[in-house]
Amino acid sequence: MIRLMTALAPLLLVAGAATAQDHSQHATPARPPVQAPATDPHAGHVMPAPPRTVDPHAGHDMGAPSPAADPHAGHAMPAQSDPHAGHDMGGRSAGGPPDVPTSADDEGRPRQPPLTPASLSGPAHAADAIWGEDRMTGARDILRRENGDVRATAVIVDRLEVGFGDGEEGWTWDAAGWTGGDINRFWWKSEAEGDFDGEIEGEVQALYSRAISPFWDVQAGVRQDFGEGDENPTHLVLGLQGLAPYWWEVDAAAFLSTEGDLTARVRSRIRPAHHTEADPPAARRGGGVGGGHSRTGSGFGSDPRGGGPAAAL
């Protein structure tokens, strides 16, 4: 064994040296060609179609399912009777309201019994019987002031004119206003005309006005004339102002001057169209009832109860 190992040792050393040598100078052998994929062994063969599965129920008559049998078939069902048959429905039509007109005056409706004398024997205000008349009177006054007795103020300008031409240059105003509530008001009225040379002639009125109906007021107060002359009398005024049918605004007044002259004036106009006016000269400067002048125009007025703005030409 020792002799065998001694003999193989030189051979092993030679083989290790050969393995450690540089192979960079050696030619690398070419790689073998890539093998082509294997061909299908069944290419070109006709493959038979797989056999169809046969329906085991083919040709059998399955028949349509029969409907469920009515458990009451052949039974005699008694007719349902109307539970209200024979009852007096008070004139009601089937499925609807009473077959009578809706007017409260129709004879088909039951009449309300008249009020008994005892129902009208209590106080005028039912709350007075609980809280006392004194307390409720004050409460009603507060309620009236806060909800109905509204204070308002209005200024109404009927005419405001300036004219130039033919050597005459002048101006004219006609305005009024009021302040107060629906029943009691303070009215002022003023009108004047003049020129730019200083000549002026006009009047101003201060009146207490009280409503006597929804569209008519009674007015009383004083009127003061003013102008360049010495005669500027003061007048007591008593008038009626309101809205007549067909939208006619009427302002009528009687004047008693400090000189003893009694005059009258009536003005009317239809709103918002035409207005007419008749004013005798005596209404301005006394001297009795005599001739006068008239003036026409068109414009917009104000509601006696509303006091809206107005304009006229």
Side-chain angles (χ1 to χ4, degrees), residues 22 30 50 58 79-80 93 95 105-106 117 154 156 162 193 204 206 224 274 281 297 312:
D22 183 11
Q80 296 288 338
S93 58
D105 297 329
D106 192 270
I156 307 166
V162 177
E193 58 184 13
V204 60
Q224 178 62 52
H274 195 74

Side-chain angles (χ1 to χ4, degrees), residues 110-281:
R111 295 294 180 177
Q112 295 292 334
L115 297 176
T116 61
S119 61
L120 302 177
S121 61
H125 302 280
D128 294 350
I130 301 174
W131 304 103
E133 183 178 358
D134 295 338
R135 295 182 61 184
M136 290 309 302
T137 299
R140 282 190 291 271
D141 290 340
I142 295 175
L143 187 65
R144 188 179 301 110
R145 289 195 303 270
E146 293 179 350
N147 294 276
D149 192 13
V150 179
R151 295 292 187 269
T153 300
V155 175
I156 307 166
V157 179
D158 282 339
R159 289 188 303 150
L160 187 60
E161 304 171 355
V162 177
F164 301 93
D166 297 334
E168 296 182 1
E169 300 179 354
W171 49 265
T172 301
W173 82 61
D174 188 353
W178 58 265
T179 182
D182 291 337
I183 306 299
N184 301 298
R185 292 179 177 178
F186 168 75
W187 270 84
W188 62 266
K189 302 177 182 180
S190 177
E191 61 178 88
E193 58 184 13
D195 55 30
F196 295 100
D197 295 332
E199 295 184 2
I200 184 173
E201 181 180 341
E203 66 179 46
V204 60
Q205 299 182 37
L207 306 170
Y208 165 73
S209 179
R210 181 173 178 83
I212 58 174
S213 72
F215 296 100
W216 292 97
D217 295 352
V218 171
Q219 298 178 338
V222 295
R223 164 188 148 191
Q224 178 62 52
D225 294 343
F226 55 88
E228 296 297 327
D230 296 333
E231 297 182 358
N232 294 312
T234 304
H235 304 259
L236 293 178
V237 183
L238 180 63
L240 180 68
Q241 177 176 299
L243 185 65
Y246 301 101
W247 298 96
W248 278 97
E249 291 187 352
V250 179
D251 185 1
F255 306 96
L256 179 61
S257 71
T258 53
E259 299 176 356
D261 297 322
L262 179 62
T263 58
R265 177 189 302 166
V266 179
R267 295 179 178 178
S268 65
R269 62 181 175 182
I270 187 169
R271 186 170 56 121
H274 195 74
H275 77 271
T276 60
E277 175 184 321
D279 187 5

